[in-house]
Amino acid sequence: MAVCIAVIAKENYPLYIRSVPTQNELKFHYTVHTSLDVVEEKISAVGKSLGDQRELYLGLLYPTEDYKVYGYVTNSKVKFVIVVDSSNTSLRDNEIRSMFRKLHNSFTDVMCNPFHSPGNTIQSKAFDGIVSGMMVQTASTV
Amino acid sequence: MAGSQWELPPELCCRPMAFVALTGLDVVYNAVHRAIWDAFCANRRADRVPISFKVLPGDHEYPKCRTKRTSYEWYIPKGILKTGWMNKHLNLVPALVVLFYELDWDDPQWKEKQSECATKVEIVRTSLQGRNTKVAVVLIQKKTPLPPGEDLVASERAATLCNACDLSGKSLFVLPHTDHLVGYIIRLENAFYEHAQTYYYTEIRRVKSHKEFLNKTTHQLLFVRHQFKIAFFSELKQDTQNALKYYRTAYSLVHELRAHETNMLEIKTMAGFINYKICRLCFQHNTPLDAIAQFRKHIDLCKKKIGSAELAFEHAAWMSKQFQSFGELFDEAIKLGLTAIQTQNPGFYYQQAACYSQDRKQLSQQLCQAGATSPSSEPWDTQTGGLDFYGQRPWRQGHQSIMIHLLLSNIDLTRILKTEMCLCLSLPQQELIIALLSNAVAQFKKYKCPRMKSHLMVQMGEEYYYAKDYTKALKLLDYVMCDYRTERWWGLLTAILTTALRCAYLMASVKDYIIYCMELLGRASTLKEEHKLRIENNLIQVLMNEVPDAEPECDASSDGAARSLWNDRMALAASNELTIEVQDYIPFIQCKAKFQCPSFHVDQPIQLQVFLRADCPHPVSFNKLAVSLSNQEYNQWCVVESAGQECMSLLPGKTKCHNFSFVAKTEDVGKKIELTGMELMLGSDSGRCVFLSWRGAGGDAASTHEALQASRSSRRWGREVEARQELDWDSLTMQHSTMIISRVPKISVQLSHRPPALNNEMYCINLTVQSQEGVVAKGVKLTAGLKPGQDANLGQTTHVSLDGSKVCDDTAPALLPDVPLGDLKPGEKLERCVYVNCVSTGSRVFLFHVAYSIDTTVEGRQIVCKCHKVEKVIIILLTVSTNTPQLQSQLQEVVLQTDECASECFCLRCPALANSNNTVATGQYLISWRRKSSSANSPLIQTVVTLPHVILESVPLYIHAELPSYGRVRESLSVRYHIENRTSLVQEVEMAVEPSDAFMFSGLKQVRLRILPGSEQQMLYNYYPLMAGYQTLPQLNISLPRCLTTNTHTLRRFLPQRIFVKVTASLLSACVNIF
């Protein structure tokens, strides 16, 4: 389960960031922000070779001592980043993929809302709910 | 426990090379010896064998060899590896000792010299008692030796010398001191290298042989030690593959050791050493992935080996060092040609090292705070030097055996902690952390990670802040702030700004303090309301020239210093005016300006609106707002200042609008007026004045994006925005310039003409100008002609004239500029005719431009306006084609309407063929014409058409066929051919008819006949059509056997080719019956 989930706009500013409240929020912000370096590099590398035949899931972006950072880019260049605790070895690649898919579906729903203006931060209870479901349940860990 | 405790020993980090000692060389006083020594040590490139040479005196004392243990039964090792061991084998115990001795084979005192040499060898042997070190002798000779086997004296004497010195023949060398010294030296050193290899091989065998005496309970430490030694000797032997193998075994053995608090440090130290060696060798073997995997394994194994909880700081320091040294190894490998990638580069290791160093710093600070209160009378023991084993405590050396003390005593702990406290106070760790961070920054810059770089720079800034180097901290933070601002990561920006504000406060840097306050109060800040309130209060105090309250989280001691700095600042009365460029920040006061229209007529006042808005929690007051424009003369009209005590104030979240209006100068007609900047004055002269200045029409670092978002949403909800009259700040667009254009003319210009215009014609365009002004329009001027900017050729083929009485020539211009028309009274009307003459066809655009000036007043000011009225007309030109020959033309006095066409026929008789040139020119065709509507005295226009050339051919015969207009299927069709001889000679003619599928025929198929001059022959054929439709007639071939020059093809032209054949009437009725 994730410790931080973020949605980043095409222009690389955050649309949504949630992290577990037990840890330093700022640190997660930095982690997500720095991971954009790798995302950008991967997008530009793919752009050169294949064009639109691109896999949305980018895989493990970079490992740090404490966290693993995974990335996903939609066709409209909106980025999803999921940060997982390094000690959590039980999580498989497939599960991460399915988390991203769920996130993408929910994000699409948000975009379909006629009252949402694309480019603004996401304020949606449904989206919050999906994200909460994917986060580490702090109540159980404490 | 000095800071260098964690440095890896240099003997571990160097590349081990075989050690060879040279004796008997006097390099100071003997030139020959000096040359030999230089040849050994100069130019040691990679292609020479890896040996480290040292010159030692002949009676040098080598380290004593301890007596060999015969049994390990009662032996309990005191540690894993002795601190001196590596150095001993690198620099003290040679693999080979070489004795240099000057002796020629034919030396007269051979006997004496031989025994002297033997004595010297003996001395060396004695001092190497118990070691396996080899001894070799080199004879320095003046003569070039003969080839082996030829010099009998030499071989005999060599044998006796070997005997006397107890040397094998392989250990005796001859070095002739001749021209080829370097060549000889290289051969010598290769021989030495072989000896050294043998020595290290025997050493490895010796260490391996100990193994059988060891048991697993008491000699665990020795297992590690022996594997390490074997690996190290293998390295000295340059056998890196085996060395790697033994190091790996040693590494797994280290982790098998029973670990407890007392020996944790030693185990980690040794594990670190061995890991370093493994990684180094992996990089050397160009298998970087193995190195990375080994390092990861190492870290995973050791991460949790903290030992006693109080010693966490020590563990953090050790971890930091592990990462740092791996980063350095990685970096070095890259310098030697390895390629790294974005997600796997040394930067990550440096970063992690810095991270652990930060942990360590925090932990030791906590200890210091706790230790400051705990009473301890024990004096700190300064004795640190001379450890026997790596990784042991200085005061507990040799007691590390597994039998004693499984736990650290309290005394141990206090000793360690006290040391740490002293260290912590004496040596700030920020320097180390900053060095590591800046290494990481350099790496991430190289591997395209701008955001990682920014993050690390923020960390560096924070470290400088902790180190109280606020200037450097601010410099770094300021540098990266901009990146976070443009990427719109407000949370991170706020965090950085908060640190920066603290720095600015502690430095008492007024300008920086105000800037950071402004941005923290602005809309990009994610601070809570109560913090904003506090910051705003502080800002107000600074504006009133008072000392602001301290920032939270500043420690008390530095706060005191800051306070006195602030007081000094406040005492300086001079520098209380500040201008701050806020465009690149996101300040708490936003400003946008717009001209109401993109253009103004010169007789209208120019309207300018300035919108202000504050985002801070309290209302904010200001004293002056000034706008500067590109023409500075207007600035005086665009200032608003507070009158007396009253301040203008901005309410939080409300937009305030200031309107300015002024009259433009007539000189500025046609020019742009631009907003160059705006200034808002906060504070007052009595306290501190701060001018916030915006360039152009205002806005800040975030406003473009907000405007874009606003336009997106308003496009969706367009109607609602219109309905809601309230001003939406984000969708306010800025209009930073306006054009001043001339006054709207009040005259009417009308053109009348009758298209189309004709080629060469003097086409008349009638211009009517009528004034609708209230006063006299002075100096009316007309510019008429071809509109500039069209095809360049049109300028040459178009001529404009005011005189319609004669056709104008090429000298007339295409554009008549500034024709004066005099003054126009109100209501007066004026007419003019302009004549246009075009030589080529095609459409043209003509321009009629009437200008005049008039006196008028705007807002009580008298101005002279210049007005222009422009009319355009497009004229399409046509050609006229009619004929007028010298003869009486059929078209004379004919009137042609538009779209009508007249044609004319003439018969021409050609002259007799004069020469072989059979083309004839038919001359020119000239028309004189005039428009029907034009007056009788207007000039006649002449149009010339050149007639084409005609080709002449002479044909002796004339043939024509006489046939009905159609035939019917299966009904006879008679065709008669008339053949006429038009020459004065008898013509012989051959005729033949070719068969055709579509016809049967009767008549002469082939005939030859003669035709007299001027007479005619007739040929009759009956054709019988077989098929319906257009059918090709049977072809009649005619040839003139006498006159071969005539082409029969020209004759064929006279004959019909085809005929239409209808269906028979009976057949048709039959078909009707069937269907």
Side-chain angles (χ1 to χ4, degrees):
Chain A
M1 292 277 118
V3 289
C4 174
I5 291 179
V7 181
I8 312 294
K10 181 177 175 246
E11 297 87 357
N12 287 337
Y13 62 90
L15 294 175
Y16 187 92
I17 293 198
R18 243 285 284 278
S19 52
V20 284
T22 46
Q23 291 171 52
N24 185 2
E25 194 190 345
L26 199 62
K27 191 169 77 177
F28 286 119
H29 280 239
Y30 276 120
T31 308
V32 172
H33 185 243
T34 46
S35 74
L36 292 178
D37 284 335
V38 187
V39 174
E40 291 277 280
E41 189 71 14
K42 287 203 176 195
I43 294 176
S44 65
V46 168
K48 276 172 221 152
S49 61
L50 266 177
D52 49 359
Q53 290 284 308
R54 181 168 63 87
E55 229 224 303
L56 303 179
Y57 178 58
L58 299 179
L60 182 65
L61 296 180
Y62 71 96
T64 64
E65 275 310 287
D66 312 314
Y67 303 108
K68 285 180 187 155
V69 187
Y70 295 89
Y72 185 96
V73 182
T74 71
N75 285 319
S76 53
K77 301 270 191 297
V78 172
K79 292 121 191 155
F80 298 142
V81 176
I82 293 183
V83 184
V84 179
D85 210 298
S86 277
S87 57
N88 190 347
T89 46
S90 62
L91 216 54
R92 311 222 164 262
D93 204 44
N94 262 341
E95 292 168 60
I96 302 277
R97 270 175 201 268
S98 81
M99 279 163 81
F100 275 124
R101 252 194 305 279
K102 257 203 264 176
L103 205 59
H104 195 174
N105 286 340
S106 184
F107 175 75
T108 317
D109 289 344
V110 172
M111 286 298 123
C112 292
N113 176 1
F115 295 98
H116 176 80
S117 166
N120 281 351
T121 50
I122 296 172
Q123 277 154 345
S124 152
K125 276 185 188 164
F127 194 75
D128 275 341
I130 293 286
V131 170
S132 303
M134 288 192 264
M135 298 283 275
V136 171
Q137 299 306 309
T138 44
S140 62
T141 51
V142 169
Chain B
M1 297 185 96
S4 60
Q5 176 203 7
W6 303 111
E7 292 300 327
L8 296 174
E11 56 265 33
L12 183 77
C13 302
C14 67
R15 178 192 174 190
M17 289 194 286
F19 175 39
V20 172
L22 310 179
T23 63
L25 284 180
D26 179 8
V27 295
V28 182
Y29 297 110
N30 189 324
V32 175
H33 291 185
R34 178 85 219 169
I36 292 170
W37 170 237
D38 283 346
F40 271 117
C41 50
N43 266 334
R44 290 216 70 89
R45 286 190 310 256
D47 55 336
R48 287 177 70 172
V49 287
I51 300 181
S52 77
F53 289 105
K54 218 179 241 184
V55 172
L56 295 174
D59 51 355
H60 178 76
E61 289 280 329
Y62 298 98
K64 283 277 178 296
C65 185
R66 279 182 293 111
T67 47
K68 290 281 176 275
R69 213 179 296 283
T70 46
S71 154
Y72 279 86
E73 213 168 320
W74 294 106
Y75 174 64
I76 294 172
K78 293 175 178 166
I80 300 176
L81 187 66
K82 288 214 173 161
T83 45
W85 188 82
M86 279 186 284
N87 187 42
K88 186 169 83 179
H89 286 278
L90 283 172
N91 296 319
L92 301 176
V93 177
L96 172 73
V97 178
V98 185
L99 176 71
F100 285 84
Y101 192 71
E102 286 188 42
L103 181 60
D104 277 275
W105 294 128
D106 52 355
D107 196 281
Q109 293 169 304
W110 171 258
K111 279 268 183 228
E112 290 81 352
K113 293 244 172 145
Q114 179 181 311
S115 63
E116 190 192 341
C117 181
T119 324
K120 286 193 170 181
V121 170
E122 199 45 42
I123 292 168
V124 171
R125 284 242 169 83
T126 329
S127 71
L128 287 169
Q129 195 81 56
R131 301 236 174 246
N132 295 324
T133 306
K134 311 258 178 219
V135 179
V137 172
V138 176
L139 299 180
I140 304 172
Q141 300 191 336
K142 293 191 186 68
K143 288 179 190 149
T144 319
L146 295 167
E150 287 184 21
D151 194 347
L152 291 175
V153 181
S155 46
E156 181 214 323
R157 288 196 163 174
T160 55
L161 185 66
C162 282
N163 254 339
C165 302
D166 192 14
L167 281 173
S168 81
K170 285 181 180 171
S171 305
L172 178 67
F173 304 96
V174 172
L175 175 61
H177 182 247
T178 56
D179 296 340
H180 309 291
L181 185 63
V182 176
Y184 283 113
I185 293 287
I186 286 174
R187 276 164 65 183
L188 265 184
E189 96 189 354
N190 288 335
F192 294 167
Y193 183 59
E194 267 173 45
H195 280 290
Q197 295 252 8
T198 334
Y199 166 75
Y200 289 121
Y201 176 70
T202 49
E203 286 300 292
I204 291 169
R205 291 291 298 272
R206 190 174 59 78
V207 178
K208 275 186 181 169
S209 69
H210 299 327
K211 199 181 172 184
E212 52 192 291
F213 303 112
L214 306 181
N215 68 61
K216 290 221 163 172
T217 48
T218 46
H219 297 139
Q220 264 195 322
L221 299 179
L222 291 184
F223 279 107
V224 180
R225 182 192 295 175
H226 289 167
Q227 289 299 317
F228 184 86
K229 284 186 176 180
I230 295 172
F232 196 78
F233 280 132
S234 303
E235 264 197 288
L236 283 166
K237 200 177 153 233
Q238 308 304 321
D239 180 2
T240 50
Q241 293 294 353
N242 273 324
L244 185 59
K245 195 177 91 191
Y246 290 118
Y247 279 131
R248 281 192 193 278
T249 338
Y251 187 79
S252 57
L253 287 171
V254 161
H255 283 289
E256 280 171 22
L257 293 179
R258 264 159 293 179
H260 30 81
E261 286 187 7
T262 43
N263 72 347
M264 188 64 87
L265 181 63
E266 186 176 9
I267 290 178
K268 281 195 294 192
T269 308
M270 278 315 292
F273 284 5
I274 300 169
N275 173 65
Y276 179 84
K277 277 287 189 193
I278 297 175
C279 294
R280 195 188 151 89
L281 287 174
C282 285
F283 278 124
Q284 200 179 317
H285 291 160
N286 206 11
T287 51
L289 291 180
D290 286 357
I292 292 167
Q294 161 64 29
F295 183 71
R296 285 250 54 92
K297 192 174 100 186
H298 174 59
I299 291 301
D300 289 343
L301 283 170
C302 297
K303 208 189 221 169
K304 298 282 180 259
K305 294 197 173 172
I306 301 171
S308 163
E310 287 92 336
L311 297 183
F313 72 88
E314 198 180 64
H315 180 68
W318 180 80
M319 287 293 275
S320 167
K321 190 67 210 172
Q322 298 305 304
F323 276 99
Q324 186 192 349
S325 48
F326 186 75
E328 279 161 3
L329 273 180
F330 200 168
D331 202 9
E332 215 166 281
I334 288 167
K335 277 177 197 143
L336 293 173
L338 185 72
T339 43
I341 53 169
Q342 191 192 34
T343 50
Q344 191 57 260
N345 69 59
F348 285 103
Y349 300 97
Y350 287 131
Q351 187 200 10
Q352 204 56 42
C355 195
Y356 274 111
S357 286
Q358 280 166 338
D359 282 356
R360 189 253 170 102
K361 187 188 70 183
Q362 268 178 5
L363 288 165
S364 49
Q365 272 171 353
Q366 283 167 10
L367 284 177
C368 287
Q369 278 159 12
T373 53
S374 78
S376 70
S377 51
E378 214 174 322
W380 179 49
D381 197 350
T382 46
Q383 175 257 322
T384 49
L387 277 179
D388 266 358
F389 288 93
Y390 284 117
Q392 295 191 347
R393 309 276 177 207
W395 58 92
R396 286 182 61 95
Q397 288 190 58
H399 299 284
Q400 299 282 321
S401 114
I402 44 173
M403 307 306 256
I404 350 168
H405 300 305
L406 286 178
L407 286 170
L408 286 173
S409 65
N410 273 336
I411 300 167
D412 281 326
L413 272 182
T414 23
R415 288 183 91 144
I416 297 166
L417 297 183
K418 284 178 86 58
T419 328
E420 177 65 15
M421 263 151 59
C422 294
L423 183 68
C424 175
L425 294 175
S426 64
L427 177 119
Q429 282 147 21
Q430 276 88 3
E431 274 171 40
L432 172 68
I433 300 173
I434 288 166
L436 287 171
L437 284 172
S438 66
N439 272 348
V441 165
Q443 294 292 334
F444 282 116
K445 201 170 173 182
K446 203 155 108 191
Y447 295 101
K448 286 192 223 156
C449 299
R451 295 180 186 86
M452 186 64 103
K453 193 186 110 196
S454 304
H455 175 39
L456 292 171
M457 285 172 76
V458 171
Q459 289 188 336
M460 276 172 83
E462 283 168 356
E463 285 309 320
Y464 276 122
Y465 165 70
Y466 293 129
K468 298 190 176 20
D469 191 343
Y470 303 122
T471 327
K472 275 188 185 156
L474 271 192
K475 206 170 171 185
L476 279 165
L477 294 177
D478 216 38
Y479 184 82
V480 291
M481 234 181 255
C482 160
D483 295 339
Y484 287 100
R485 203 180 287 122
T486 46
E487 291 234 293
R488 303 171 50 75
W489 281 72
W490 302 143
L492 299 181
L493 179 65
T494 309
I496 298 166
L497 278 170
T498 315
T499 315
L501 182 66
R502 259 182 258 150
C503 289
Y505 170 74
L506 293 171
M507 284 167 75
S509 158
V510 179
K511 188 171 179 179
D512 291 327
Y513 189 81
I514 293 174
I515 291 175
Y516 300 135
C517 278
M518 281 197 316
E519 203 158 10
L520 280 170
L521 287 173
R523 61 201 189 284
S525 151
T526 56
L527 282 186
K528 293 211 176 62
E529 198 68 12
E530 72 241 36
H531 286 295
K532 285 195 174 179
L533 279 171
R534 183 180 58 77
I535 289 171
E536 192 174 1
N537 281 332
N538 277 341
L539 181 62
I540 290 169
Q541 281 191 309
V542 172
L543 288 179
M544 285 155 64
N545 213 5
E546 283 167 25
V547 180
D549 290 343
E551 287 300 307
E553 294 172 54
C554 292
D555 62 281
S557 62
S558 31
D559 183 40
R563 210 145 266 285
S564 65
L565 269 177
W566 274 101
N567 282 323
D568 293 351
R569 282 293 138 83
M570 295 307 152
L572 282 172
S575 61
N576 60 357
E577 268 196 24
L578 278 176
T579 304
I580 299 173
E581 282 273 346
V582 291
Q583 194 110 61
D584 302 327
Y585 304 106
I586 305 171
F588 71 111
I589 296 178
Q590 299 182 67
C591 178
K592 286 182 182 181
K594 65 188 273 193
F595 286 106
Q596 274 194 323
C597 301
S599 64
F600 285 95
H601 292 291
V602 71
D603 57 339
Q604 287 176 315
I606 292 171
Q607 308 272 341
L608 173 67
Q609 287 182 309
V610 179
F611 300 93
L612 291 170
R613 180 191 164 106
D615 300 311
C616 51
H618 285 310
V620 60
S621 57
F622 65 94
N623 285 319
K624 188 178 170 188
L625 170 68
V627 181
S628 48
L629 298 156
S630 53
N631 187 340
Q632 295 186 354
E633 288 174 59
Y634 301 130
N635 289 357
Q636 50 177 319
W637 309 106
C638 305
V639 178
V640 54
E641 235 169 318
S642 63
Q645 294 300 308
E646 245 176 281
C647 278
M648 291 170 286
S649 69
L650 297 171
L651 295 175
K654 290 271 186 293
T655 304
K656 190 166 188 180
C657 171
H658 291 271
N659 288 306
F660 300 105
S661 87
F662 56 92
V663 178
K665 294 189 181 325
T666 41
E667 302 94 271
D668 280 349
V669 172
K671 286 184 191 159
K672 242 182 189 172
I673 297 187
E674 279 179 62
L675 280 166
T676 51
M678 281 169 291
E679 265 191 349
L680 186 75
M681 190 176 101
L682 296 178
S684 59
D685 297 328
S686 57
R688 187 178 287 280
C689 292
V690 175
F691 293 95
L692 306 189
S693 108
W694 285 267
R695 294 185 300 275
D700 53 43
S703 56
T704 14
H705 183 262
E706 285 160 356
L708 184 71
Q709 280 298 111
S711 73
R712 272 188 203 163
S713 55
S714 71
R715 218 177 295 145
R716 287 185 172 194
W717 307 106
R719 256 181 241 149
E720 284 182 28
V721 170
E722 278 163 36
R724 190 181 49 164
Q725 275 301 309
E726 199 199 316
L727 204 56
D728 177 31
W729 177 266
D730 286 343
S731 52
L732 257 180
T733 48
M734 295 176 279
Q735 171 75 43
H736 90 289
S737 68
T738 190
M739 191 79 188
I740 297 178
I741 50 179
S742 55
R743 181 174 168 279
V744 185
K746 288 185 187 155
I747 55 164
S748 71
V749 175
Q750 281 176 340
L751 296 174
S752 65
H753 59 114
R754 310 217 315 208
L758 302 171
N759 213 349
N760 280 331
E761 182 190 14
M762 289 301 284
Y763 184 67
C764 172
I765 299 173
N766 212 337
L767 177 84
T768 314
V769 182
Q770 186 167 21
S771 165
Q772 285 147 7
E773 293 282 357
V775 289
V776 179
K778 283 179 286 193
V780 183
K781 279 177 187 166
L782 168 73
T783 301
L786 197 65
K787 185 172 181 258
Q790 300 182 76
D791 189 355
N793 289 334
L794 292 182
Q796 287 163 8
T797 56
T798 311
H799 310 288
V800 180
S801 156
L802 290 174
D803 179 15
S805 59
K806 62 174 195 293
V807 176
C808 55
D809 51 6
D810 288 352
T811 55
L815 180 77
L816 288 174
D818 293 336
V819 180
L821 301 179
D823 293 354
L824 263 183
K825 292 194 185 67
E828 196 184 321
K829 201 172 185 179
L830 194 143
E831 282 191 37
R832 272 298 155 95
C833 279
V834 176
Y835 295 90
V836 173
N837 178 0
C838 304
V839 195
S840 67
T841 58
S843 64
R844 287 164 170 75
V845 181
F846 286 91
L847 182 86
F848 293 86
H849 178 252
V850 179
Y852 63 98
S853 62
I854 196 160
D855 298 335
T856 181
T857 53
V858 187
E859 296 194 335
R861 284 182 351 112
Q862 192 86 27
I863 54 169
V864 178
C865 296
K866 287 190 175 131
C867 303
H868 308 272
K869 179 89 179 185
V870 177
E871 286 283 329
K872 280 181 204 163
V873 63
I874 299 176
I875 295 174
I876 299 169
L877 289 151
L878 296 177
T879 41
V880 173
S881 53
T882 28
N883 308 340
T884 322
Q886 287 157 317
L887 310 167
Q888 181 72 34
S889 168
Q890 295 158 345
L891 295 180
Q892 198 150 26
E893 301 298 326
V894 165
V895 175
L896 285 173
Q897 302 295 325
T898 307
D899 286 344
E900 269 187 350
C901 179
S903 47
E904 191 168 19
C905 278
F906 287 98
C907 263
L908 298 180
R909 179 190 292 270
C910 81
L913 273 181
N915 49 18
S916 59
N917 183 10
N918 49 5
T919 60
V920 171
T922 45
Q924 275 190 332
Y925 187 61
L926 193 72
I927 335 165
S928 298
W929 59 277
R930 146 185 327 142
R931 203 172 260 265
K932 179 94 188 325
S933 58
S934 59
S935 59
N937 58 2
S938 66
L940 271 176
I941 297 139
Q942 301 245 315
T943 304
V944 177
V945 180
T946 308
L947 296 173
H949 282 68
V950 176
I951 298 169
L952 293 180
E953 274 182 44
S954 66
V955 184
L957 290 179
Y958 178 71
I959 302 179
H960 70 100
E962 195 179 290
L963 78 170
S965 54
Y966 63 90
R968 276 185 195 280
V969 177
R970 301 208 188 129
E971 277 181 23
S972 168
L973 165 79
S974 64
V975 177
R976 188 184 296 273
Y977 293 100
H978 300 263
I979 303 149
E980 244 175 275
N981 183 357
R982 290 188 171 176
T983 58
S984 54
L985 296 168
V986 176
Q987 294 291 346
E988 198 162 320
V989 181
E990 272 184 11
M991 290 172 63
V993 183
E994 282 180 9
S996 158
D997 287 346
F999 293 92
M1000 294 195 293
F1001 68 91
S1002 66
L1004 293 168
K1005 191 169 180 212
Q1006 192 166 21
V1007 72
R1008 191 180 183 130
L1009 43 91
R1010 285 204 182 114
I1011 308 172
L1012 294 174
S1015 70
E1016 174 190 285
Q1017 279 284 343
Q1018 293 186 359
M1019 305 289 296
L1020 182 72
Y1021 290 91
N1022 276 321
Y1023 291 144
Y1024 191 71
L1026 298 174
M1027 285 180 262
Y1030 273 110
Q1031 300 299 342
T1032 312
L1033 284 168
Q1035 203 161 20
L1036 187 71
N1037 282 333
I1038 302 168
S1039 60
L1040 302 172
R1042 292 268 182 87
C1043 179
L1044 292 170
T1045 51
T1046 312
N1047 197 343
T1048 50
H1049 284 283
T1050 44
L1051 287 174
R1052 206 176 281 167
R1053 278 216 302 262
F1054 298 121
L1055 295 172
Q1057 300 288 315
R1058 298 192 302 173
I1059 189 162
F1060 188 73
V1061 180
K1062 288 184 176 180
V1063 185
T1064 339
S1066 58
L1067 197 66
L1068 198 68
S1069 59
C1071 292
V1072 169
N1073 286 342
I1074 290 165
F1075 298 105

